[in-house]
């Protein structure tokens, strides 16, 4: 006689109903779904899954430590934080690349990276001379990710620059990394000649 109890299958998805969408937003969703060749429902489902399946974005928007450090960096720089959420300019693809290159697999990894970077966040934010009179929310996490990467060995740093900081002048990237490494009392890197 089989005494095993059959467990009911659990559906890993949920249903979400959204009401009172402004007409212009509905029109935008309709147009984008059509361009993508998808139903509105499928399009919104994929959009929400991608947006809220973003480990770095979720942590950045929900971490009290990130919010606290953002306010601290705002105070240090004298620049106000943006009112709207911009994830410090990261795209979903950027966040996935940070996770891949820095082996980030959980919010615990991000919490560890943030905690370890706190002493050098001010140094890093001062390296960012963007000319923009505001700091994006999530800037402290952006700084912490750079600080974490700066502690890596040269081959990993070269990949990091090519994949995420390709737009930055290479000499400036090297100077920023060297400054962070010196502050962290890490060994000097032997950068190859240009």
């Amino acid at each position: 006689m089989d005494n095993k109890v059959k467990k009911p299958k659990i559906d890993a998805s949920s249903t979400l109903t959204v009401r009172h969408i402004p007409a212009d937003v509905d029109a935008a969703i309709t147009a984008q779904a059509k361009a993508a060749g998808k139903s509105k429902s499928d399009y919104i489902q994929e959009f929400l899954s991608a947006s809220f399946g973003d480990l770095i974005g979720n942590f950045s928007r929900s971490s009290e430590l990130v919010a606290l450090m953002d306010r601290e960096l705002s105070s240090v720089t004298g620049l106000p934080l943006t009112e709207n959420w911009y994830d410090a300019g990261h795209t979903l693809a950027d966040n996935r690349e940070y996770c891949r290159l820095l082996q980030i697999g959980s919010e615990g990894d991000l919490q560890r990276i943030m905690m370890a970077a706190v002493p050098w966040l001010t140094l890093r934010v001062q390296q960012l001379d963007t000319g923009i009179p505001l700091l994006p929310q999530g800037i402290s996490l952006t700084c912490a990710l750079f600080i974490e990467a700066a502690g890596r060995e040269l081959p990993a740093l070269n990949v990091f620059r090519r994949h995420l900081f390709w737009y930055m002048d290479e000499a400036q990237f090297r100077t920023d990394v060297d400054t962070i490494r010196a502050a962290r009392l890490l060994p000097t890197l032997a950068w190859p000649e240009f």
Side-chain angles (χ1 to χ4, degrees):
M1 187 169 174
D2 189 5
N3 290 334
K4 291 182 182 178
V5 177
K6 290 186 179 181
K7 294 181 181 178
K9 289 184 180 181
I10 298 174
D11 185 6
S13 63
S14 297
T15 301
L16 174 69
T17 302
V18 181
R19 293 183 174 90
H20 310 295
I21 296 175
D24 59 334
V25 173
D26 184 57
I29 293 168
T30 301
Q32 292 174 41
K34 182 178 179 183
K38 300 179 182 201
S39 71
K40 283 175 37 175
S41 177
D42 288 347
Y43 186 76
I44 291 172
Q45 178 186 8
E46 289 177 13
F47 183 83
L48 289 174
S49 294
S51 296
F52 291 102
D54 174 13
L55 182 61
I56 290 175
N58 288 340
F59 183 80
S60 187
R61 291 185 296 269
S62 62
S63 168
E64 291 180 22
L65 179 58
V66 171
L68 176 66
M69 291 296 98
D70 282 355
R71 288 191 300 274
E72 179 64 23
L73 294 180
S74 174
S75 175
V76 166
T77 62
L79 298 173
L81 287 168
T82 56
E83 289 182 28
N84 296 316
W85 198 264
Y86 296 110
D87 290 340
H90 291 188
T91 67
L92 181 58
D94 288 343
N95 285 347
R96 287 182 177 152
E97 194 65 359
Y98 273 108
C99 287
R100 188 181 74 77
L101 294 176
L102 298 177
Q103 295 92 38
I104 298 167
S106 69
E107 287 193 1
D109 293 337
L110 288 167
Q111 183 75 12
R112 177 191 53 76
I113 288 169
M114 273 300 298
M115 293 293 291
V118 166
W120 304 287
L121 290 174
T122 299
L123 172 61
R124 177 60 188 153
V125 82
Q126 289 170 342
Q127 291 176 331
L128 305 175
D129 183 16
T130 62
I132 299 171
L134 299 167
L135 287 179
Q137 293 189 46
I139 190 66
S140 60
L141 182 57
T142 298
C143 292
L145 292 169
F146 186 90
I147 292 164
E148 174 72 14
R152 302 296 168 105
E153 296 302 317
L154 195 54
L157 272 167
N158 286 331
V159 172
F160 184 76
R161 182 181 179 278
R162 277 195 316 273
H163 290 220
L164 290 165
F165 282 83
W166 50 268
Y167 59 87
M168 187 177 187
D169 177 71
E170 187 168 356
Q172 186 61 56
F173 177 81
R174 290 179 178 191
T175 298
D176 289 355
V177 167
D178 287 343
T179 302
I180 296 290
R181 289 180 70 89
R184 293 178 63 190
L185 305 176
L186 295 172
T188 304
L189 294 170
W191 296 100
E193 295 294 325
F194 284 110

